[in-house]
Amino acid sequence: MQNYLEHALEEALHEERDLYQTYNLQEETERIAYHYEIDPEFFRIVTGGNWNNYSCSMWEKGFSLTQAQEKKLDHFARLMQLKPGMHILDVGCGWGGPLVYLCQKYGVTGHGITISPMAIPIAQARAQQYGVKATFEVIHWQNLRLAQQYDAIYSDEVIVHFNDLAGFFKKANQLLKPQGIMVNKELHFRHSLHKHALDKLSQHINKVYAYTGNYRTLQDELLLLDDGHFHLQEIVDIPIEDYRKTIGEYWVKHLNDNKEQLIAMTSPKHVRDFKLYLRGICHIFAADVFGLHIVAAKKA
Ligand SMILES: C[S@@+](CC[C@H](N)C(=O)[O-])C[C@H]1O[C@@H](n2cnc3c(N)ncnc32)[C@H](O)[C@@H]1O
């Protein structure tokens, strides 16, 4: 990462820094790289399960992590009304697990995009392993070609990184076939006052994400969807306890159990900062700051 960005991040800890910073596409890519462009094995170990979702899973009594990951993805499939032969877009596809699962279970084909190049070979290998038609590409959503149209589009804990969410919804609308459905899952502040939380813990979490955490209220997101000419279909309210369990009982445990290996891939500071961020988020969840929702909307 460029020195100026490292310097800016250090400074941010010592000054009042609001969410919603603006930056150009190149700087956005560098900021996202700060969090995601490390050995993919790091995220494979921390996230765990068969599909390595770097996002909340949905729990039922007695579930394994893989079952909880699949239950969440089955919700996405239901909301997108997936049928064999449909072609879908995963915006912010991580390491390919979610899209490969949906393709193999529901008989769809898919395209996954990310701005984190190190994830691509992992995602492609996974598609090959399961024999599904899923392609992956390093591209910012702003640069997607309109010639390719999709039956459905989804994103799972990705839109928080977009400071131009209105622009994203407009682009998604153009990329969808008529009556196409878009599904987004994201954390939402329960009140807009939280947008101005400048305590040290919030600052640490923002820094780990290089200040790309543009958290919003659900109300903000719904207004932007409406502006983007989407018709609201359904909102699924996921208990925040599901996220606390995903992080507290799995990601933190994976990190502790594999600490030396993870340090060897990164650094002691990286692992320490990562653990503080995971535990910090659980702490913030306990304070009832966030709700977690899946929002499904249809192109008019
Ligand atoms: C929290 S991870 C979620 C990954 C995946 N959706 C999952 O649930 O496992 C966020 C993902 O969004 C991607 N991302 C961030 N900004 C992006 C952008 N502008 N365009 C496309 N992908 C982006 C990151 O590279 C990363 O893969």
Side-chain angles (χ1 to χ4, degrees):
M1 189 175 56
Q2 306 274 333
N3 281 343
Y4 78 85
L5 183 51
E6 184 68 60
H7 181 66
L9 293 173
E10 282 304 330
E11 286 221 312
L13 272 184
H14 304 293
E15 53 180 72
E16 292 212 339
R17 183 62 64 103
D18 211 350
L19 298 175
Y20 320 115
Q21 296 176 36
T22 48
Y23 28 78
N24 64 29
L25 208 136
Q26 191 201 329
E27 195 185 346
E28 183 178 348
T29 304
E30 284 171 13
R31 285 171 182 256
I32 291 293
Y34 179 70
H35 187 78
Y36 291 101
E37 281 294 274
I38 58 173
D39 190 334
E41 189 61 6
F42 183 95
F43 285 106
R44 190 190 68 75
I45 290 172
V46 171
T47 56
N50 209 24
W51 307 107
N52 300 109
N53 295 358
Y54 190 33
S55 49
C56 177
S57 294
M58 292 173 71
W59 296 92
E60 275 179 29
K61 204 164 184 288
F63 263 13
S64 67
L65 177 56
T66 297
Q67 285 173 310
Q69 291 174 344
E70 292 181 352
K71 179 180 171 189
K72 188 263 300 280
L73 294 169
D74 290 339
H75 261 291
F76 274 87
R78 178 182 67 76
L79 293 166
M80 287 191 278
Q81 300 174 13
L82 292 190
K83 292 181 192 60
M86 283 172 69
H87 191 52
I88 64 175
L89 176 69
D90 180 349
V91 178
C93 60
W95 299 264
L99 184 60
V100 169
Y101 172 78
L102 291 173
C103 288
Q104 60 99 32
K105 175 144 183 201
Y106 294 94
V108 298
T109 60
H111 189 54
I113 65 161
T114 174
I115 51 173
S116 308
M118 286 173 87
I120 294 286
I122 310 296
Q124 287 169 335
R126 209 190 286 260
Q128 201 173 20
Q129 181 192 346
Y130 285 88
V132 297
K133 283 193 183 154
T135 51
F136 295 94
E137 183 182 14
V138 177
I139 187 169
H140 193 287
W141 60 264
Q142 285 180 11
N143 296 328
L144 279 165
R145 300 158 294 274
L146 295 180
Q148 178 63 66
Q149 295 283 292
Y150 298 91
D151 295 292
I153 297 177
Y154 71 101
S155 74
D156 193 351
E157 298 186 31
V158 179
I159 58 175
V160 67
H161 292 315
F162 301 166
N163 57 14
D164 179 18
L165 189 58
F168 172 67
F169 287 162
K170 286 189 178 120
K171 181 86 183 200
N173 199 280
Q174 294 171 325
L175 289 163
L176 278 170
K177 294 179 187 169
Q179 308 295 305
I181 292 177
M182 176 169 70
V183 176
N184 297 298
K185 171 165 149 278
E186 195 52 86
L187 285 163
H188 298 106
F189 282 138
R190 290 200 184 277
H191 195 282
S192 41
L193 276 178
H194 295 304
K195 292 176 185 174
H196 308 292
L198 296 166
D199 57 281
K200 277 208 165 350
L201 185 54
S202 302
Q203 292 284 6
H204 175 77
I205 294 167
N206 283 338
K207 188 188 170 208
V208 163
Y209 276 102
Y211 286 83
T212 60
N214 306 282
Y215 290 101
R216 301 171 176 87
T217 61
L218 179 59
Q219 295 89 312
D220 289 344
E221 186 179 319
L222 296 181
L223 284 175
L224 293 175
L225 260 183
D226 196 79
D227 284 348
H229 302 292
F230 278 99
H231 290 217
L232 185 61
Q233 299 293 296
E234 188 175 330
I235 299 175
V236 179
D237 194 344
I238 303 175
I240 208 71
E241 172 58 21
D242 280 12
Y243 217 156
R244 196 212 54 77
K245 186 175 170 83
T246 305
I247 296 181
E249 294 182 23
Y250 289 85
W251 297 355
V252 170
K253 181 177 187 311
H254 297 158
L255 195 130
N256 285 336
D257 290 351
N258 301 282
K259 195 170 159 198
E260 295 312 318
Q261 199 184 344
L262 296 173
I263 287 175
M265 283 173 209
T266 53
S267 69
K269 181 178 183 317
H270 187 93
V271 173
R272 205 169 47 244
D273 283 352
F274 208 91
K275 186 168 165 183
L276 178 59
Y277 131 73
L278 292 179
R279 295 179 71 119
I281 291 182
C282 288
H283 183 77
I284 291 176
F285 287 163
D288 207 21
V289 168
F290 284 111
L292 179 60
H293 308 93
I294 315 180
V295 176
K298 190 183 270 186
K299 175 172 175 163

